[in-house]
């Protein structure tokens, strides 16, 4: 059994990258917005338990924000790598012809 060449569907990679980038960070922005609404809806109450819940909401919102940024960076890196592979493929094809 021989080794097969790796094939990349560059159109799919570019489409997926564009879809994630234009969908507010893959949907993470919507989640962050929901966390902000949660904290905003607790303004009329007070107490240690409520303050602990607000702190937890803030911490979770920060985690989701970081995850969103990491996801967008990963998508950007994948897109850059795919473009680099496509450039190398194009050069190799032109040299073989």
């Amino acid at each position: 059994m021989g080794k097969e060449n790796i094939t990349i569907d560059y159109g799919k990679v570019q489409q997926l990258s564009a879809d994630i980038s234009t969908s507010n960070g893959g949907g993470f922005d919507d989640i962050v917005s929901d966390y902000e609404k949660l904290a905003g809806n607790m303004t009329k109450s007070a107490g240690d338990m409520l303050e602990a819940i607000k702190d937890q909401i803030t911490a979770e919102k920060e985690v989701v924000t970081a995850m969103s940024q990491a996801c967008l960076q990963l998508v950007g890196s994948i897109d850059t790598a795919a473009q680099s592979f496509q450039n190398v493929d194009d050069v190799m094809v032109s040299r073989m012809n």
Side-chain angles (χ1 to χ4, degrees), residues 1 10 19 22 34 39-40 43 49 53 66 68-69 76-77 92:
M1 181 182 263
Y10 298 110
D19 289 347
T22 58
D34 289 343
T43 56
M49 179 70 151
I53 292 171
S68 173
Q69 292 169 351
S77 295
M92 297 303 284

Side-chain angles (χ1 to χ4, degrees), residues 4-96:
E4 294 184 26
N5 291 331
I6 296 173
T7 57
I8 299 172
D9 186 336
Y10 298 110
K12 284 185 181 180
V13 172
Q14 290 172 345
Q15 183 63 45
L16 179 61
S17 175
D19 289 347
I20 291 174
S21 295
T22 58
S23 69
N24 296 324
F28 285 105
D29 286 352
D30 294 336
I31 298 169
V32 170
S33 176
D34 289 343
Y35 275 108
E36 289 170 354
K37 289 176 190 173
L38 282 172
N41 289 333
M42 296 184 195
T43 56
K44 295 182 181 179
S45 300
D48 291 340
M49 179 70 151
L50 189 62
E51 291 305 315
I53 292 171
K54 286 181 182 180
D55 290 344
Q56 182 65 34
I57 289 171
T58 300
E60 289 180 18
K61 183 179 85 170
E62 290 172 4
V63 169
V64 171
T65 300
M67 289 172 55
S68 173
Q69 292 169 351
C71 179
L72 289 174
Q73 287 177 351
L74 178 61
V75 168
S77 295
I78 290 169
D79 189 47
T80 299
Q83 289 174 8
S84 295
F85 282 131
Q86 187 172 24
N87 292 340
V88 169
D89 283 349
D90 292 343
V91 168
M92 297 303 284
V93 166
S94 69
R95 288 184 182 175
M96 293 174 76

